[in-house]
Amino acid sequence: MTTAHLPESTLSLTPAEALNRDCFCRTLDTDRLRGQLEADPSLAGLTDKLLKTRPNLFSSSVVFVSQKVQAQIRSVVDAIERVAFLPGYQAQALSRVNPVAQYAWGPQGVCMGYDFHLSRQGPQLIEINTNAGGLLLNAALARAQVACCEELGGAFVACAQQSALAQTVFDMFATEWRLQRGDQPLRNVLIVDSAPQEQYLAPEFELFRQLFTQHGLQADIADPSELQWQGGHLLYQNMPVDMVYNRLTDFYLEEPAQQALRQAYEAGAVVLTPHPYGHALLADKRNLIALSQDALLAAWGTNAADRKLLEASVPVTRLVTQERADELWAQRRQLFFKPVAGYGAKAAYRGDKLTRRVWGEILQGDFVAQALVPPSERMIDVDGVLTDLKFDVRAFTYAGQVQLLAARMYSGQTTNFRTPGGGFAPVIVVSDEETR
């Protein structure tokens, strides 16, 4: 392990925090990564293409978190998913969104993502995403690491033990199918996104296609404009579609290109996952307002333990309105502003960086203001230069169960995949007790 001498003031750091500050090792083995990403011959060349065209997708380093933080993240996810089933919560969440979100056909929504910043008060929930990208990419990345020292060997082994995750991911889709279709046979899955080959995470679509094909399904990747709604069926290349893995960021299927998919979803003629109903219940940023209001949660019947946990883990969030404009502007340095239907940190702003022009645009749009929680930091070696990067931690989940933790390292206001040395990074969980 490559380390630097810790100054006296950092001796109170937890083992994970100390490692994030003081371990500069590069642990990514590119040959191992190639073996993971190209296990199927049909994916040959994928790794070199990724590293050439997306040089900041994968970091060569890892992020460390404690067992306590890992347990807290799991508890927060579990609590939020319980709250989301409460009638009062559902009524407020569904009352303000597009009518298409009223359709609930049974599926719970694959590839949920809960994003956290880590603080001394514990993990703080920044946002929830219904079509979080990167699950299969991060599973491969976790298995491509080499332990940087003997002391951490066990933690790296645990991180790499994701051999069952691919089956877990497929089972997630199979469960979605059964929840809507019961024992009917699943024949095909269509991965749908706008201009899919142009998407930054397009290589992951190939990994999902290979996964479905490996389990005997017909799998294709398509733009929604290639779909047809005809005779009570959703058609792709004149063949009925059983299931759509939805990677669209038009969460309520409002754009003209999505109309065939929307009609099929409204009719229950296709198993769509994730879906508008799930986005309305969890990923709309206005839900963070409710999740950070103890009195409201209590009125809906949230139990005391969940309320206490959410009070400690969800930063206070408020709706931006003209009536609150002066108050929020005065407090802007302690706030982070996000569009209610945003994704990928688009149009998200730290309050201390706001100009009057941007503030005017925020007031004209649908935004929330969240108490600012600075991201954690990770010191890494970038081409021989020690560089301090920020990071967040994403919990990939299904039905309230955490499948994988991954980090995103970056510089700037938000995650961007443009930072040298940054990108996706495996999360290594270390003991809460420091070993010497």
Side-chain angles (χ1 to χ4, degrees):
M1 184 195 306
T2 305
T3 61
H5 177 67
L6 281 175
E8 197 70 26
S9 61
T10 67
L11 294 181
S12 62
L13 297 179
T14 67
E17 291 169 337
L19 285 166
N20 284 331
R21 182 183 179 90
D22 209 41
C23 174
F24 312 132
C25 297
R26 294 170 175 252
T27 57
L28 175 60
D29 185 319
T30 303
D31 289 336
R32 285 192 183 185
L33 180 63
R34 183 175 291 104
Q36 294 298 325
L37 291 175
E38 302 175 18
D40 187 275
S42 67
L43 298 174
L46 179 63
T47 309
D48 290 338
K49 180 180 178 181
L50 266 175
L51 297 179
K52 181 180 180 180
T53 61
R54 296 161 175 80
N56 303 312
L57 176 61
F58 296 132
S59 175
S60 61
S61 301
V62 300
V63 163
F64 298 94
V65 304
S66 70
Q67 292 172 337
K68 181 179 180 181
V69 164
Q70 180 189 43
Q72 288 173 324
I73 287 174
R74 288 173 172 167
S75 296
V76 171
V77 170
D78 199 26
I80 291 173
E81 300 259 348
R82 279 194 295 270
V83 169
F85 277 97
L86 297 175
Y89 175 93
Q90 293 194 353
Q92 61 86 34
L94 296 173
S95 66
R96 61 189 176 218
V97 295
N98 190 293
V100 73
Q102 306 294 330
Y103 293 92
W105 299 108
Q108 300 190 55
V110 299
C111 298
M112 291 293 302
Y114 287 74
D115 296 342
F116 294 86
H117 285 176
L118 307 185
S119 75
R120 277 304 179 94
Q121 290 70 47
Q124 302 292 298
L125 179 71
I126 303 306
E127 64 182 35
I128 306 172
N129 299 282
T130 47
N131 62 350
L135 176 55
L136 290 185
L137 289 170
N138 278 287
L141 185 62
R143 295 194 296 266
Q145 305 298 312
V146 177
C148 53
C149 65
E150 184 176 347
E151 293 87 347
L152 293 173
F156 273 82
V157 168
C159 174
Q161 288 176 341
Q162 305 292 341
S163 57
L165 185 58
Q167 185 63 47
T168 299
V169 172
F170 179 80
D171 291 345
M172 170 174 62
F173 284 90
T175 298
E176 295 285 271
W177 173 258
R178 287 194 298 272
L179 286 171
Q180 187 168 342
R181 292 287 188 258
D183 293 331
Q184 295 181 41
L186 172 61
R187 299 163 299 180
N188 60 69
V189 180
L190 190 64
I191 302 160
V192 173
D193 202 352
S194 299
Q197 299 309 319
E198 298 175 16
Q199 297 297 326
Y200 188 73
L201 293 184
E204 185 172 54
F205 301 165
E206 299 294 340
L207 294 177
F208 274 101
R209 176 162 63 178
Q210 188 273 331
L211 176 66
F212 297 136
T213 301
Q214 188 179 50
H215 284 82
L217 303 178
Q218 173 66 37
D220 294 285
I221 303 166
D223 184 280
S225 64
E226 299 178 80
L227 303 177
Q228 293 179 301
W229 172 240
Q230 186 176 335
H233 297 285
L234 183 68
L235 304 180
Y236 172 67
Q237 296 181 347
N238 296 318
M239 296 296 294
V241 177
D242 287 346
M243 173 182 278
V244 167
Y245 172 28
N246 176 23
R247 295 289 292 248
L248 293 163
T249 53
D250 175 14
F251 302 112
Y252 298 119
L253 308 177
E254 297 175 287
E255 297 172 7
Q258 274 74 268
Q259 289 313 296
L261 181 57
R262 176 171 177 149
Q263 289 173 301
Y265 175 66
E266 290 175 333
V270 67
V271 176
L272 178 69
T273 184
H275 40 64
Y277 177 75
H279 186 273
L281 283 187
L282 291 169
D284 187 303
K285 303 297 185 293
R286 288 170 292 191
N287 292 318
L288 297 170
I289 300 172
L291 292 172
S292 64
Q293 289 190 21
D294 183 70
L296 200 53
L297 293 174
W300 290 333
T302 308
N303 67 59
D306 283 349
R307 284 166 44 209
K308 182 178 180 180
L309 178 62
L310 295 178
E311 184 177 23
S313 307
V314 182
V316 173
T317 308
R318 291 172 287 172
L319 189 66
V320 175
T321 63
Q322 291 287 348
E323 292 74 19
R324 291 188 180 130
D326 291 342
E327 173 191 357
L328 293 174
W329 176 258
Q331 298 171 357
R332 68 188 184 282
R333 296 183 185 280
Q334 289 77 47
L335 298 173
F336 201 97
F337 297 88
K338 303 177 181 182
V340 298
Y343 64 94
K346 293 182 182 294
Y349 304 99
R350 279 182 59 122
D352 58 353
K353 307 292 185 182
L354 280 184
T355 64
R356 280 287 186 178
R357 180 189 63 80
V358 173
W359 177 237
E361 294 174 358
I362 289 173
L363 290 175
Q364 296 303 313
D366 293 324
F367 276 74
V368 297
Q370 186 180 58
L372 180 64
V373 180
S376 300
E377 296 181 344
R378 172 78 169 101
M379 188 78 75
I380 67 169
D381 181 343
V382 180
D383 297 328
V385 178
L386 295 184
T387 305
D388 212 354
L389 297 184
K390 304 167 186 175
F391 72 85
D392 64 11
V393 173
R394 168 167 289 179
F396 291 96
T397 76
Y398 176 64
Q401 299 298 308
V402 175
Q403 299 167 316
L404 182 71
L405 294 182
R408 296 177 296 180
M409 291 198 285
Y410 62 98
S411 63
Q413 287 196 53
T414 56
T415 55
N416 49 44
F417 294 106
R418 294 192 298 269
T419 303
F424 284 129
V427 167
I428 302 295
V429 180
V430 297
S431 171
D432 300 304
E433 299 296 327
E434 187 168 10
T435 56
R436 296 187 180 278

